[in-house]
Every structure is written in C-alpha cells, then in structure tokens.
Amino acid sequence: KGEQRSTQSDFMEMEKQRGISISATVMSFEYNDLCVNILDTPGHQDFSEDTYRALAAADNAVMLLDAAKGLEPQTRKLFEVTRMRNLPLFTFVNKMDRPALDPNEIMDQIESEFGLETYPIVWPIGDGDRFKGVLDRMENVVHLFGKGDRKSKAEVETVPMSDLETLKTRINDEELFDKLMEDIEILDELIAPLDMDRVIAGDQSPLFFGSAMTNFGVQLFLDKFCSMGVKPSGRLAKLVEEGKGKKGAQSKLDENDEPNDLVLPEFGEFTGFVFKTQANLDPKHRDRLAYIRIVSGAFQKGMKVGHSRSKPGKKFNLAQAQTLFGSDRESVEVAYPGDVIGINNPGDFAIGDTLYTGNQKVAFPGIPSFSPEIFAYIRNPNPSSYKAFTKGIDQLLAEGAVQSLRQRNDDGGGPLILAAVGQLQFEVVQARLKGEYNVDSDLEPISYTLARWAEGGWDAVDKADADGKLFGIMIVQDRWGRPVLLFRNDWKAASVAEEEKYLELKPWSKPPMFE
C-alpha cells in the first residue's frame, strides 16, 4: 500500500526510539472475504506477560524468526508462553533476502529446543544476494523473487515444477537449482507428512520462509494461514443466573469453581472479554481504550451490557466502538465472534473482565499474572505533581505495564511497590510517566528475585510467620488484597513450598472472576 507499513504496530514514542515493540497492538483488516485480526506482541522477553494476555484472545499464533539468528534467547520464554495456551503455531522465517542460516539448521533448532516438529509448507531457494525465491510444496510451484528497492514490494514470477527447463533458466544458478532438486527429494522422503490434527494440537508447526520488508512470501503465507488456521471457537466460562429484585443474584458464586460452561460463537447472547487496556492511544485526547475479544453473539453500537465484576443488574452502555490498525481507528457499528474491538474505558473495565448481554451472568477465566523477578519502590519526588503522578500510575497499572504490591493492610497511603519481569518494564513506566503525564519518578530497588502467591490465605501466612518459617521473606499484598511472599532466591521459595504445604504457594495468580 504505497509506503509500506512495516512498523505500523509500533506507534509509541519509546517503540520508535528503540526500534522494538513494548506493547501488544491490534491490526484488523479484510483479506479474501475474511476478517483478519493480528495481535502484534512484543518480541522482548521482559514483556512476555503482555504477550500472554494477547494470546488469550488469539485462536492461532505465528512465531516470527530472524533467518540469520534463528532462535534467540528470548524466543524460548515467548514459546513457553505460547505453549501454555495450546494454540496452533505457525512459523515464518523472515529476512531471507539477507545472509541466513541453513533452513535445515533452523528446523533442527526448533525441534531440539522446543520439541516441536515442523513441516515446511514453502522452502527457500538460496539466501542473501543469492535468494531466488521459494517453493510452494503444497502447489508444487516456485515463486521467484525479483528484487525491488527496500521500500517497494518485490516482483514475483511463478513457475510450475513441471517446467524444469524454464525454472532452471529463471533461477540462473546451477548450484542452487541442483540443491533445490536435492532438498525436494530429502524433504519428501524424510519429513513426516502434514497432519492438521497435530497442527491444531500445537504438536506440528507449518513452516514458511520469506522477506517481510520486500513483502515477498507474505501473501503466500496469508493465503495458507487463512485456509489452515483455526476459526473462532468456543470458550469455557462460568454462567450464573442473575437474581431478580433488590437482593441481586440468588445463586452463590464460588471463586473455586472451575468454568465448565462452553460458550460457542453461536450462543444467543453477546459475550466478550477484556484482554488489554491502553491509555493515551491518542495523547492529544488522553483517551483510554479497552480491547474486547468477542466470543459469541454480535456487538451492536449502543447496546447495554452486564459486567462480570459489577453488581447484578448494573448495565454499561457501549455507545461506540472502533476497529484498530495500530494507533489508527475506525468506528464500527456491528462486530462478530472473533473480532477485536476497542471501546471507551472510563476506568470500569480491567484486564480479564467479561461483558455480556442476557439474564445469565457470564465470566470467562481471568488472565493470570506471573511471578515478577525484580521489585522496586516508586516515589514521586515532586509533591506538587501528586495528582498527575497518581493518575499516571493508576492508568499504567490498569494496562498491566507492571504489577503492583503493597505492605499488608496498606489501603493506598503507603509506599507502592512495582513488580516486573524485566528491567525494561520499569524503564517504560518511567518514560511514559514523563512523556504522557509530565511527571518525574524515583525507583528504589528491593533485593528480591521472585514472588509466590499464598493461596492458603492470610491465616496460613500468619501461622508460618508465627512459627518462624518466613524469616528473610517479605510479606506483601497484591491489588486484590491477597497474600504474596517475596523471596531472594529459588532455593528458599522451593524449600518453603515443600515444608509448608498449607501455604499453597503458586507462581501465578488469576484476578477474581466476580466481585
């Protein structure tokens, strides 16, 4: 499209400066009579929690690899996050127009590191200056790569494998032609056949090669992905009849009950859940959006919905919604299961919340928070900017930029502890406080390296503390008032978990489904 939108999803100032994605973004577009929603997630391991939240809304995952680097250190953590969601995983090896690893080496890396079998849907012919194109193994057609400049789409010529003389002439490199013939024979004989049941189960990954910068191989990938990918499916939820009259809900809501009601796309009522919130998408208007993944029914502009954490009978008017393409937005009147829409968020909607219509209260499982690894007190050095500082911190915490902890029984007046997976998250928070709210902040690191939620509750924590079992461990509470223990090392955490089983220590937590 004219100038390529290669970084359309990276619109925050810090993303532009550093050249990395630090926040998941949504890009929705129509392609071959289908509506495709791409959730572009950060590639840095410090933001793996944001990646997991986006994957909660996804039906498929695409792993993008650098052809020259193969599997990078942060890829392992992101893959583990993907595996937790049991999603079909497609792999696209990018930058083939630059010097690259041998494709067999990349396949071996994926299988040895992740235990994941790959099946090459397309196979590259050369790399770097000798990159000639790719073989579509499904159609037995070669797509030849014609170099354009770095800002234009590559020219593509297709030659069927049945016309070897023409293909050999067009490749114009006898060594690469011979290698292609050899590779075809090896792949056909040694690679296990494509098994869509295994793909859907996440045990086999369709593999693609191309060059996104020149748009070569991208359309080929999209065509295959749209035909092979899983369409929007049902989600497990808890459904409870809303009570009538002044007393509200008649059925007791037990947080320990597992969701066992399957809500299918054709379910008669609208349901959807919040997987992301974003403040200052348009800095000029200081707006706040909640990103909703629609599960069932249809969204209609102006509809009134219930909210899983609000009192029975309370309704919210969804006066408007937008489809998103990075920071660009367009109003939408109607949306359907699988769609992702952005709605104005006055502060009522949080990550993991469910919105619904009908007489049944619906709650999809909350999106978990994982154990942070670095901790620091954050303070406002300028009392005169208290209001802006508080607003900024509250909105960034609502986005899940970092987690927050407080001392036990602190109702908000004491020092706030920020908890993150990596140092870069702290840097993002401080940069956004300065850039979006014009306030300074000071961080004071705390020497703990991991957190564990004590699902046994405060009584269990008090018992362990009274027995002297929590010496050297910091006892804090999360945003829901639940006990969290901070440890200095893995050994101590494992020791306490083994010896004091009644604490029921967990490395993650889910927000309450109902309030």
Side-chain angles (χ1 to χ4, degrees):
K1 291 184 177 181
E3 293 184 7
Q4 288 182 308
R5 295 200 251 190
S6 58
T7 57
Q8 178 71 30
S9 59
D10 294 339
F11 57 85
M12 294 171 61
E13 191 59 36
M14 194 171 181
E15 291 178 315
K16 295 175 182 177
Q17 291 173 359
R18 299 205 178 200
I20 60 172
S21 297
I22 61 178
S23 177
T25 52
V26 178
M27 294 181 288
S28 301
F29 57 93
E30 292 185 0
Y31 184 80
N32 289 348
D33 298 324
L34 294 174
C35 180
V36 179
N37 296 295
I38 294 179
L39 308 177
D40 184 21
T41 63
H44 198 288
Q45 61 184 355
D46 284 7
F47 304 102
S48 55
E49 197 165 20
D50 198 45
T51 297
Y52 185 85
R53 288 193 290 263
L55 289 172
D59 298 296
N60 307 272
V62 179
M63 179 168 62
L64 186 65
L65 300 181
D66 187 314
K69 299 177 181 177
L71 295 182
E72 299 178 72
Q74 63 266 29
T75 309
R76 173 182 288 277
K77 189 160 191 175
L78 296 175
F79 174 80
E80 291 170 353
V81 168
T82 305
R83 182 57 65 89
M84 290 176 67
R85 286 281 296 118
N86 295 319
L87 294 175
L89 179 65
F90 295 75
T91 303
F92 187 91
V93 181
N94 192 24
K95 302 181 181 179
M96 287 302 302
D97 58 331
R98 302 179 186 179
L101 297 174
D102 184 277
N104 290 291
E105 182 178 349
I106 293 175
M107 292 174 63
D108 289 342
Q109 284 184 4
I110 295 172
E111 184 159 2
S112 62
E113 287 282 325
F114 299 153
L116 178 66
E117 182 183 293
T118 57
Y119 181 88
I121 302 294
V122 302
W123 189 254
I125 306 170
D127 64 88
D129 291 338
R130 297 178 69 196
F131 181 51
K132 301 297 183 179
V134 296
L135 165 66
D136 179 349
R137 299 182 63 225
M138 307 291 284
E139 303 297 333
N140 219 26
V141 171
V142 169
H143 295 248
L144 293 172
F145 173 72
K147 274 191 176 180
D149 60 47
R150 301 300 292 178
K151 292 185 178 180
S152 64
K153 182 178 178 180
E155 298 177 359
V156 180
E157 177 186 359
T158 57
V159 179
M161 285 298 300
S162 58
D163 190 355
L164 290 179
E165 287 301 320
T166 300
L167 179 61
K168 187 172 184 179
T169 301
R170 292 290 189 268
I171 289 178
N172 195 28
D173 187 316
E174 188 170 350
E175 181 185 356
L176 288 179
F177 178 80
D178 291 343
K179 187 175 188 308
L180 174 62
M181 296 298 104
E182 180 183 344
D183 286 345
I184 290 173
E185 185 176 349
I186 292 174
L187 291 173
D188 290 344
E189 290 183 3
L190 300 182
I191 299 297
L194 180 67
D195 184 338
M196 286 308 302
D197 288 337
R198 296 185 66 211
V199 171
I200 292 171
D203 296 326
Q204 188 182 53
S205 178
L207 181 63
F208 299 81
F209 295 83
S211 167
M213 179 66 77
T214 57
N215 215 3
F216 180 79
V218 175
Q219 181 175 344
L220 188 59
F221 168 76
L222 278 174
D223 290 340
K224 305 293 186 186
F225 174 78
C226 288
S227 64
M228 299 170 66
V230 173
K231 305 298 188 292
S233 56
R235 304 274 176 137
L236 289 174
K238 289 172 66 174
L239 274 64
V240 179
E241 289 292 335
E242 283 198 335
K244 299 179 180 180
K246 296 181 179 179
K247 292 186 178 180
Q250 301 299 313
S251 299
K252 185 176 180 181
L253 306 175
D254 188 348
E255 279 295 326
N256 296 318
D257 288 345
E258 289 295 322
N260 53 16
D261 299 299
L262 181 62
V263 177
L264 297 170
E266 55 268 26
F267 182 62
E269 299 290 348
F270 166 84
T271 63
F273 61 90
V274 180
F275 68 93
K276 177 180 175 64
T277 63
Q278 179 80 47
N280 305 320
L281 198 61
D282 182 352
K284 295 179 180 178
H285 295 92
R286 298 293 184 186
D287 57 348
R288 300 173 67 186
L289 282 186
Y291 293 67
I292 311 295
R293 158 64 199 264
I294 299 176
V295 177
S296 69
F299 164 84
Q300 293 184 326
K301 181 178 178 180
M303 71 189 309
K304 296 184 182 298
V305 298
H307 177 223
S308 58
R309 292 188 302 106
S310 293
K311 294 180 180 179
K314 184 175 181 179
K315 301 296 180 182
F316 293 82
N317 182 28
L318 303 186
Q320 59 181 346
Q322 296 101 22
T323 55
L324 305 115
F325 196 97
S327 60
D328 297 337
R329 292 175 285 178
E330 185 177 323
S331 294
V332 62
E333 302 280 332
V334 181
Y336 301 97
D339 283 342
V340 173
I341 59 175
I343 62 172
N344 291 333
N345 182 15
D348 297 306
F349 307 133
I351 293 170
D353 286 354
T354 300
L355 305 181
Y356 60 91
T357 60
N359 295 323
Q360 286 183 304
K361 192 160 192 167
V362 182
F364 294 104
I367 300 174
S369 298
F370 298 102
S371 174
E373 298 173 10
I374 59 172
F375 307 86
Y377 289 109
I378 187 166
R379 294 184 172 89
N380 172 23
N382 301 314
S384 60
S385 61
Y386 170 80
K387 188 172 182 180
F389 179 85
T390 302
K391 178 181 179 181
I393 284 292
D394 288 346
Q395 292 189 357
L396 293 179
L397 288 176
E399 287 184 22
V402 289
Q403 297 180 46
S404 65
L405 302 168
R406 290 187 180 275
Q407 299 285 353
R408 184 177 182 177
N409 298 322
D410 179 0
D411 58 2
L416 179 67
I417 301 172
L418 298 188
V421 173
Q423 180 63 34
L424 194 53
Q425 287 180 276
F426 284 165
E427 295 177 22
V428 168
V429 168
Q430 288 191 289
R432 291 188 63 187
L433 283 173
K434 184 63 176 177
E436 298 175 19
Y437 302 93
N438 195 30
V439 294
D440 295 315
S441 58
D442 291 333
L443 286 178
E444 179 188 334
I446 308 173
S447 58
Y448 293 90
T449 61
L450 73 159
R452 292 292 182 265
W453 279 262
E455 293 201 341
W458 284 111
D459 288 343
V461 171
D462 288 340
K463 178 184 185 308
D465 194 25
D467 292 343
K469 304 298 184 180
L470 302 183
F471 180 76
I473 297 168
M474 190 172 182
I475 304 172
V476 294
Q477 62 180 6
D478 67 6
R479 60 180 296 196
W480 309 109
R482 299 175 299 195
V484 182
L485 305 182
L486 305 188
F487 295 87
R488 299 188 190 277
N489 53 63
D490 291 322
W491 176 85
K492 182 66 172 177
S495 175
V496 172
E498 176 63 27
E499 296 174 5
E500 318 301 324
K501 288 185 169 59
Y502 56 88
L503 287 169
E504 299 180 44
L505 298 184
K506 296 289 189 297
W508 49 266
S509 74
K510 286 185 178 180
M513 297 173 72
F514 299 102
E515 282 189 358

